[in-house]
């Protein structure tokens, strides 16, 4: 088995990228053969997540999906999760919450921490909970695409994840924004209606706005704060 600790010596798989899913189904089939229940999908239920859930359901209908429920998400995001539960009843969707409630966080760090120190807020409400969710897990799946941002251009299908000491599987690296939407429309998949309102990338409500740059799909995230990632994908 390809693990974090054996990364340097283990044989790495290769996958075709010239088929209908640009390698995504091949990657997922290999990953679930390799890791089985020792792998989870950390999903934000954005549009890439909807595609991955549909692909995963074809490979492992009872896969575990972890949603980092910060308590600050849009209602539309929670509505999307309910629609996904209805469409894929066999999936095991886990709502992973931080150890601190919003009230406890405010008492310790002050009100609206996300305005004063968004990195700390993301650490408390996303990074630490994901680390907890990945305890005892060998690999996790992410919906990163190379096209999304400069920080993601060099992502591979299979990655050594030093932050979480895990293997990070990214099946959609070669998909374009158009590919994602074509797949959603073709298969009539439910998705977050905020995507139709100018939100290509959707995170917590206080830190997410409609995209300010049509050429930068993540330009509505932490706008004006010099921040582009929540920390989950930074080493």
């Amino acid at each position: 088995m390809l693990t974090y600790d054996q990364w340097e010596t283990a044989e790495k798989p290769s996958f075709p990228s010239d088929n209908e899913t640009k390698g995504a189904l091949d990657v997922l089939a290999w990953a679930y053969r390799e890791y089985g229940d020792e792998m989870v999908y950390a999903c934000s239920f954005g549009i890439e997540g909807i595609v991955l859930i549909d692909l995963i359901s074809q490979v492992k209908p009872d896969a575990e999906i972890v949603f980092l429920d910060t308590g600050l998400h849009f209602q539309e995001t929670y509505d999307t999760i309910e629609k996904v539960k209805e469409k894929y009843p066999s999936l095991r969707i886990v709502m992973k919450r931080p150890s601190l409630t919003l009230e406890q966080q405010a008492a310790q760090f002050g009100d609206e921490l996300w305005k004063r120190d968004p990195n700390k807020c993301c650490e408390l409400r996303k990074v630490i909970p994901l680390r907890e969710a990945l305890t005892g897990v060998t690999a996790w799946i992410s919906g990163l695409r190379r096209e999304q941002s400069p920080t993601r251009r060099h992502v591979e299908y299979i990655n050594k994840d030093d932050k979480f000491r895990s293997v990070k599987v990214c099946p959609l690296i070669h998909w374009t924004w158009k590919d994602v939407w074509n797949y959603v429309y073709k298969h009539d998949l439910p998705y977050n209606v905020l995507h139709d309102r100018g939100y290509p990338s959707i995170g917590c409500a206080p830190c997410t706005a409609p995209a300010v740059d049509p050429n930068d799909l993540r330009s509505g995230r932490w706008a004006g704060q010099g921040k582009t990632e929540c920390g989950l994908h930074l080493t």
Side-chain angles (χ1 to χ4, degrees), residues 100-118:
L100 294 178
T101 66
L102 288 169
E103 292 75 16
Q104 291 169 332
Q105 178 173 296
Q108 289 191 35
F109 299 96
D111 289 333
E112 298 184 322
L113 179 62
W114 49 87
K115 288 184 178 179
R116 293 175 288 102
D117 191 346

Side-chain angles (χ1 to χ4, degrees), residues 150-194:
T151 59
R152 301 179 177 187
R153 284 176 185 162
H154 303 293
V155 176
E156 301 290 347
Y157 285 127
I158 312 295
N159 305 266
K160 184 185 181 187
D161 185 351
D162 292 319
K163 190 176 194 75
F164 297 106
R165 297 184 63 82
S166 180
V167 175
K168 183 162 65 175
V169 180
C170 301
L172 300 182
I173 58 172
H174 295 301
W175 286 50
T176 65
W177 187 239
K178 184 177 180 180
D179 291 333
V180 170
W181 279 102
N182 283 345
Y183 187 92
V184 168
Y185 289 141
K186 179 180 179 180
H187 298 280
D188 192 26
L189 302 182
Y191 64 87
N192 195 322
V193 296
L194 290 176

Side-chain angles (χ1 to χ4, degrees), residues 45-225:
F45 287 85
I47 198 66
E48 289 91 354
I50 296 302
V51 169
L52 265 179
I53 284 172
D54 190 73
L55 293 172
I56 288 170
S57 72
Q58 299 172 42
V59 175
K60 186 172 174 60
D62 64 342
E64 182 174 335
I65 313 291
V66 174
F67 175 68
L68 300 176
D69 187 4
T70 63
L72 292 164
H73 289 286
F74 292 95
Q75 182 58 47
E76 288 87 347
T77 300
Y78 293 111
D79 294 343
T80 302
I81 294 172
E82 292 306 310
K83 293 175 184 177
V84 169
K85 288 180 178 179
E86 292 176 12
K87 185 172 179 62
Y88 308 96
S90 296
L91 290 178
R92 293 172 287 143
I93 297 178
V94 177
M95 307 290 279
K96 176 63 177 173
R97 295 180 175 87
S99 60
L100 294 178
T101 66
L102 288 169
E103 292 75 16
Q104 291 169 332
Q105 178 173 296
Q108 289 191 35
F109 299 96
D111 289 333
E112 298 184 322
L113 179 62
W114 49 87
K115 288 184 178 179
R116 293 175 288 102
D117 191 346
N119 289 330
K120 184 64 175 179
C121 190
C122 284
E123 178 188 1
L124 293 170
R125 310 205 73 76
K126 296 185 80 172
V127 176
I128 293 175
L130 181 58
R131 183 173 289 117
E132 293 170 351
L134 295 182
T135 299
V137 172
T138 305
W140 65 293
I141 299 171
S142 173
L144 298 184
R145 295 184 299 108
R146 290 180 176 179
E147 182 192 62
Q148 285 172 323
S149 69
T151 59
R152 301 179 177 187
R153 284 176 185 162
H154 303 293
V155 176
E156 301 290 347
Y157 285 127
I158 312 295
N159 305 266
K160 184 185 181 187
D161 185 351
D162 292 319
K163 190 176 194 75
F164 297 106
R165 297 184 63 82
S166 180
V167 175
K168 183 162 65 175
V169 180
C170 301
L172 300 182
I173 58 172
H174 295 301
W175 286 50
T176 65
W177 187 239
K178 184 177 180 180
D179 291 333
V180 170
W181 279 102
N182 283 345
Y183 187 92
V184 168
Y185 289 141
K186 179 180 179 180
H187 298 280
D188 192 26
L189 302 182
Y191 64 87
N192 195 322
V193 296
L194 290 176
H195 286 306
D196 295 332
R197 302 174 191 167
Y199 293 78
S201 178
I202 304 167
C204 294
C207 300
T208 305
V212 296
D213 178 355
N215 297 314
D216 182 356
L217 298 179
R218 293 180 61 80
S219 60
R221 304 290 296 276
W222 305 284
Q225 293 183 302

